[in-house]
């Protein structure tokens, strides 16, 4: 959604080419313009101040992630590190076996994102294009299910996982979140597919394409951008999930990054630099992902909101 | 979804005969595509939900312990449970911190970014600021919680170390005292939450026709007047979405509480979802925990339905007005 504004040619002119403007301004306007000019700097300062407040926790986290414990207790949290201390980082890395947690998180989130998108596409195809009877009830049911607090499902799911031999198994988490994310995906996609161009469908059926071929040959290519937004969202949502992984994944070897980090809390061995190094390392994947997909994400939040 | 259903009825009178017959058979062929979703939904959501209701009618320690029928006993016990009422009172604080305050601040930030900064300093400035506000939203809640837990730690945390340096002898024990724990948690939640309304409101503002503002400006309407007469009504749909999603999230909140305070001290930050978790896995009162989760669910669905009805009514009124 930021795209249309950012590509405006005027954008660069306003940013860098301030000398261009005065000739255009009428003489009678200069006074008012001047007053407005100072006011806008105050507004900018206020907005930047809010941004600084938002950033302060991150800044002091980075500052203290590379500080020796003695340095921290002597010089406090705001001082520049006396030396580039990486022991806290290494300490955290080995104690939680970070690479293992990273693999767990990527595997769980990736599998959920992929399965949930496919499941959403199937259901939405039946509801939006196929107009299955009672579709409004089904979609409403899915939407309400998405709002359920997970506490209402967790104990029975915990029991069921034990009975089928999936306790402390990542597949239990993958299956659960595939269904929960797909419930939202179906809701969103079926309203998108409800307005799918009739002409395309009729053309496909004239060509003798069955439902399966229509889905992959006609519908899928058209909705691919929406699907990729959903994929990214499902990935991030699952990545950030805390409650069900906390309950289901009981040993170190299966846990995700957030659960592993939280379970270190209260660990007496965790000094401030180690805590900060842990938080820093744990947020890097999320930040990297955010930077790569920022455009898609902002567009996706919007798409989700307007529907 | 509404478009799907509104499109269907008008066809019926015209296509009484064979075409209608064909149409009504048509959807059956799509059922196989719906089946995987429905089966998965039944196994993972419907059946567990039903089991949870069943559990809530029993006294049960969980695992292999025997289920003992208790009827509605768990629910009547809740009525007399002080902690239960505390947890729901705290939910109001969560709504304040996750819906009311962030939406108001978010609206203010979004209009400033859009009206003043985007136009006077270029869109780059506006989008960098927007991304900054949104940053806490992408963090896993556990990471944000661990970070704030350290910052607010009474002994080694950054805030109190700084306070001591500037001469405060006894800085507050932010998360550890019953007076300050709840407001402190609320501040952290506001910090986490602000970016969401900013991003949504900014995209809403881009949807608004600029000619409306130009016409109002020519008529001599000031900033406040334009804000009230144009901005607020135009971004109503997004406001509903934010209210709905954030209220549901506020009622369900678990992660920040688990990481920051575990409901303490002395239940001062207890919330329903954490209280139910506590009963499931800590106190081994599964039936009781299930009852709390069910009450929470009913409340969430009720509030969601009310908001959705209000939204539909407001949308209808708007259509009629045009």
């Amino acid at each position: 959604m930021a795209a249309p504004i950012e590509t405006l040619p005027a954008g660069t002119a306003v940013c860098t080419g301030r000398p261009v403007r005065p000739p255009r301004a009428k003489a009678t306007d200069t006074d008012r313009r001047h007053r407005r000019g100072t006011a806008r700097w105050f507004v900018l300062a206020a907005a930047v101040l809010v941004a600084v407040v938002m950033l302060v926790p991150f800044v002091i986290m980075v500052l203290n992630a590379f500080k020796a414990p003695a340095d921290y207790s002597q010089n406090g949290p705001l001082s520049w590190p006396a030396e580039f201390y990486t022991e806290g980082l290494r300490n955290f890395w080995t104690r939680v076996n970070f690479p293992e947690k990273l693999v767990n998180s990527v595997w769980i989130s990736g599998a959920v994102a992929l399965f949930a998108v496919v499941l959403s596409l199937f259901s939405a195809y039946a509801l939006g294009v196929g107009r299955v009877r009672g579709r409004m009830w089904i979609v409403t049911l899915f939407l309400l299910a998405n709002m359920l607090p997970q506490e209402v499902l967790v104990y029975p799911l915990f029991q069921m996982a034990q009975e089928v031999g999936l306790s402390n198994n990542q597949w239990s988490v993958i299956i659960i979140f595939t269904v929960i994310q797909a419930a939202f995906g179906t809701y969103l996609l079926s309203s998108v597919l409800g307005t799918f161009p009739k002409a395309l469908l009729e053309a496909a059926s004239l060509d003798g394409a069955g439902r399966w071929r229509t889905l992959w040959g006609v519908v899928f290519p058209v909705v691919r951008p929406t699907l990729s937004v959903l994929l990214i969202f499902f990935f991030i949502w699952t990545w950030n999930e805390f409650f069900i992984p906390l309950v289901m994944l009981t040993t170190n070897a299966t846990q995700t990054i957030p659960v592993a980090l939280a379970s270190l809390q209260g660990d007496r061995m965790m000094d401030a630099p180690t805590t900060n190094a842990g938080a820093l390392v744990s947020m890097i994947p999320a930040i990297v992902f955010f930077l790569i997909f920022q455009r898609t994400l902002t567009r996706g939040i919007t798409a989700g909101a307007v529907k | 979804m509404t478009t799907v259903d509104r499109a269907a009825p008008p066809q019926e009178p015209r296509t009484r005969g064979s075409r209608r017959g064909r149409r009504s058979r048509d959807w059956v062929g799509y059922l196989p595509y719906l089946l995987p979703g429905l089966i998965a939904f039944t196994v993972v959501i419907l059946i567990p939900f039903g089991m949870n209701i069943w559990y809530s009618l029993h006294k049960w320690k969980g695992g292999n312990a025997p289920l003992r029928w208790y009827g509605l006993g768990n629910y009547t016990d809740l009525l007399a449970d002080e902690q239960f009422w505390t947890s729901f009172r705290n939910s109001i604080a969560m709504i304040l911190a996750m819906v009311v305050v962030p939406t108001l601040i978010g609206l203010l930030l979004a209009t400033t970014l859009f009206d003043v900064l985007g136009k006077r300093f270029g869109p780059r400035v506006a989008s960098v600021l927007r991304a900054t506000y949104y940053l806490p939203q992408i963090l896993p809640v556990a990471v944000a919680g661990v970070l704030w837990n350290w910052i607010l730690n009474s002994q080694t945390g950054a805030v109190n170390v700084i306070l001591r340096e500037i001469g405060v002898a006894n800085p507050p024990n932010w998360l550890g005292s019953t007076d300050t724990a709840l407001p402190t948690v609320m501040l952290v939640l506001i910090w986490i939450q602000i970016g969401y309304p900013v991003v949504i409101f900014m995209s809403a503002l881009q949807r608004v026709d600029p000619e409306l503002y130009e016409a109002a400006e020519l008529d001599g309407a000031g900033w406040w007047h334009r804000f009230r007469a144009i901005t607020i009504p135009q971004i109503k749909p997004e406001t509903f979405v934010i209210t709905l999603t954030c209220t549901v999230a506020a009622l369900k909140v678990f992660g920040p509480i688990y990481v920051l305070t575990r409901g303490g001290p002395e239940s001062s930050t207890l919330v329903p979802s954490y209280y139910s978790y506590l009963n499931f896995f800590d106190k081994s009162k599964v039936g009781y925990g299930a009852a709390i989760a069910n009450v929470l669910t009913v409340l969430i669905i009720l509030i969601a339905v009310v908001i959705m009805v209000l939204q539909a009514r407001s949308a209808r009124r708007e259509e009629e007005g045009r």
Side-chain angles (χ1 to χ4, degrees):
Chain A
M1 95 201 168
I5 285 207
E6 275 168 14
T7 48
L8 271 180
T12 45
V14 175
C15 258
T16 54
R18 284 222 298 142
V20 181
R21 274 209 284 154
R24 280 202 287 126
K26 285 179 202 141
T28 46
D29 272 356
T30 20
D31 219 29
R32 213 182 59 170
R33 215 167 254 279
H34 188 72
R35 242 184 318 125
R36 270 226 190 135
T38 43
R40 68 184 185 168
W41 287 103
F42 277 114
V43 176
L44 179 69
V48 169
L49 191 71
V50 176
V52 168
V53 170
M54 300 299 282
L55 281 180
V56 161
F58 295 106
V59 174
I60 60 171
M61 169 181 71
V62 176
L63 212 55
N64 290 288
F66 300 105
K67 207 179 272 180
D71 186 4
Y72 175 77
S73 55
Q74 204 161 35
N75 299 320
L78 290 187
S79 71
W80 195 256
E83 48 157 341
F84 190 70
Y85 176 86
T86 53
E87 204 53 46
L89 203 68
R90 235 173 292 162
N91 197 358
F92 172 79
W93 191 277
T94 48
R95 178 141 357 133
V96 305
N97 192 355
F98 191 77
E100 181 187 56
K101 304 297 176 292
L102 186 67
V103 169
N104 290 345
S105 273
V106 170
W107 153 238
I108 291 177
S109 313
V112 167
L114 197 65
F115 294 150
V117 163
V118 173
L119 197 62
S120 307
L121 179 63
F122 280 165
S123 307
Y125 182 53
L127 295 167
V129 174
R131 315 227 143 173
V132 164
R133 267 175 86 176
R135 58 187 170 274
M136 203 194 84
W137 290 107
I138 297 173
V139 170
T140 310
L141 197 68
F142 280 9
L143 185 63
L144 286 178
N146 205 257
M147 292 179 180
L148 288 183
Q150 291 170 356
E151 285 75 13
V152 93
L153 310 172
V154 75
Y155 208 87
L157 286 172
F158 182 68
Q159 292 279 116
M160 285 160 84
Q162 279 185 327
E163 250 153 66
V164 294
L166 284 181
S167 64
N168 193 27
N169 187 317
Q170 293 163 347
W171 276 104
S172 63
V173 177
I174 292 174
I175 293 169
I176 293 166
F177 282 118
T178 295
V179 178
I180 292 179
Q181 313 291 30
F184 177 80
T186 305
Y187 159 72
L188 191 82
L189 261 188
S190 63
S191 72
V192 171
L193 289 182
T195 58
F196 196 83
K198 284 257 156 38
L200 282 179
L201 296 171
E202 272 158 23
S205 102
L206 281 180
D207 283 348
R211 291 188 193 87
W212 181 255
R213 262 186 56 206
T214 309
L215 172 60
W216 293 110
V218 181
V219 176
F220 176 70
V222 174
V223 294
R224 203 152 58 184
T226 315
L227 293 183
S228 58
V229 171
L230 275 183
L231 191 83
I232 294 165
F233 262 87
F234 292 166
F235 187 93
I236 293 191
W237 288 345
T238 312
W239 184 282
N240 290 351
E241 274 296 341
F242 183 66
F243 180 61
I244 283 188
L246 174 79
V247 172
M248 292 291 183
L249 306 174
T250 45
T251 60
N252 256 320
T254 55
Q255 279 168 356
T256 58
I257 293 173
V259 177
L261 184 68
S263 63
L264 272 189
Q265 285 235 312
D267 187 339
R268 296 263 167 238
M269 300 295 287
M270 283 269 278
D271 47 69
T274 308
T275 307
N276 282 294
L280 178 64
V281 173
S282 305
M283 66 176 260
I284 285 174
I287 303 273
V288 169
F289 212 73
F290 176 67
L291 291 177
I292 297 174
F293 292 110
Q294 203 212 9
R295 283 285 173 79
T296 329
L297 276 177
T298 31
R299 227 182 304 134
I301 302 166
T302 324
V306 177
K307 283 294 161 189
Chain B
M1 230 183 358
T2 38
T3 51
V4 173
D5 295 289
R6 233 172 260 158
Q11 289 183 337
E12 281 181 29
R14 280 190 287 115
T15 54
R16 266 278 130 113
S18 62
R19 261 192 72 196
R20 200 194 161 193
R22 214 197 57 186
R23 268 207 75 82
S24 61
R25 258 185 288 113
D26 230 22
W27 62 269
V28 178
Y30 286 94
L31 278 183
Y33 293 91
L34 190 58
L35 223 52
L38 279 184
I39 292 174
F41 183 81
T42 310
V43 171
V44 174
I45 293 176
L46 277 190
I47 294 179
F49 190 22
M51 282 163 80
N52 198 67
I53 295 174
W54 181 243
Y55 293 163
S56 77
L57 303 174
H58 294 82
K59 276 199 167 180
W60 186 32
K61 285 192 179 305
N64 293 325
L67 261 90
R68 282 186 295 125
W69 179 257
Y70 195 41
L72 292 177
N74 283 322
Y75 293 92
T76 49
D77 287 352
L78 280 178
L79 295 178
D81 183 349
E82 197 57 48
Q83 286 195 308
F84 171 77
W85 291 107
T86 308
S87 73
F88 275 95
R89 258 198 308 279
N90 288 344
S91 279
I92 297 171
M94 298 298 128
I95 290 177
L96 208 64
M98 289 177 72
V99 190
V100 182
V101 176
T103 308
L104 292 178
I105 298 180
L107 183 59
L108 185 71
L109 286 174
T111 46
T112 341
L113 286 192
F114 188 78
D115 270 354
V116 185
L117 301 182
K119 282 174 191 156
R120 314 253 163 213
F121 293 92
R124 182 103 336 143
V125 176
S127 65
V128 166
L129 284 171
R130 186 191 58 195
T132 312
Y133 301 151
Y134 195 68
L135 200 56
Q137 277 275 305
I138 55 162
L139 281 192
V141 149
V143 177
V146 167
L147 176 59
W148 277 102
N149 215 331
W150 162 68
I151 292 178
L152 296 165
N153 185 294
S154 65
Q155 296 307 314
T156 59
V159 172
N160 279 5
V161 171
I162 294 167
L163 284 179
R164 272 194 219 101
E165 263 168 36
I166 59 171
V168 181
N170 271 321
N173 183 357
W174 301 102
L175 291 167
S177 135
T178 47
D179 300 329
T180 49
L182 187 62
T184 308
V185 168
M186 287 169 74
L187 282 179
V188 174
L189 287 173
I190 292 172
W191 177 81
I192 292 177
Q193 205 64 15
I194 277 181
Y196 178 69
V198 171
V199 167
I200 294 200
F201 279 138
M202 278 194 76
S203 77
L205 289 170
Q206 276 161 25
R207 198 172 40 89
V208 179
D209 187 355
E211 278 178 29
L212 281 176
Y213 288 107
E214 279 160 26
E217 211 162 347
L218 284 179
D219 288 346
W223 179 85
W224 175 244
H225 204 103
R226 276 172 295 171
F227 178 72
R228 277 195 49 196
I230 303 172
T231 309
I232 298 272
Q234 288 285 323
I235 61 172
K236 222 184 227 169
E238 281 81 2
T239 313
F240 271 117
V241 170
I242 292 172
T243 315
L244 177 64
T245 50
C246 293
T247 308
V248 171
L251 289 168
K252 293 205 289 195
V253 69
F254 175 86
I257 300 294
Y258 181 91
V259 188
L260 286 175
T261 62
R262 308 232 168 165
E266 293 168 39
S267 308
S268 60
T269 58
L270 194 68
V271 291
S273 72
Y274 188 76
Y275 191 36
S276 125
Y277 168 84
L278 212 57
N279 277 291
F280 280 140
F281 299 105
D282 216 56
K283 300 181 173 174
S284 295
K285 290 167 76 177
V286 176
Y288 201 59
I292 299 166
N294 286 338
V295 172
L296 179 61
T297 306
V298 170
L299 187 72
I300 286 176
I301 290 181
L302 252 157
I303 290 181
V305 167
V306 167
I307 296 177
M308 285 197 250
V309 166
L310 286 178
Q311 178 181 17
R313 191 180 296 169
S314 139
R316 210 181 318 126
R317 207 177 300 149
E318 209 135 284
E319 254 166 47
E320 282 163 5
R322 262 176 211 164

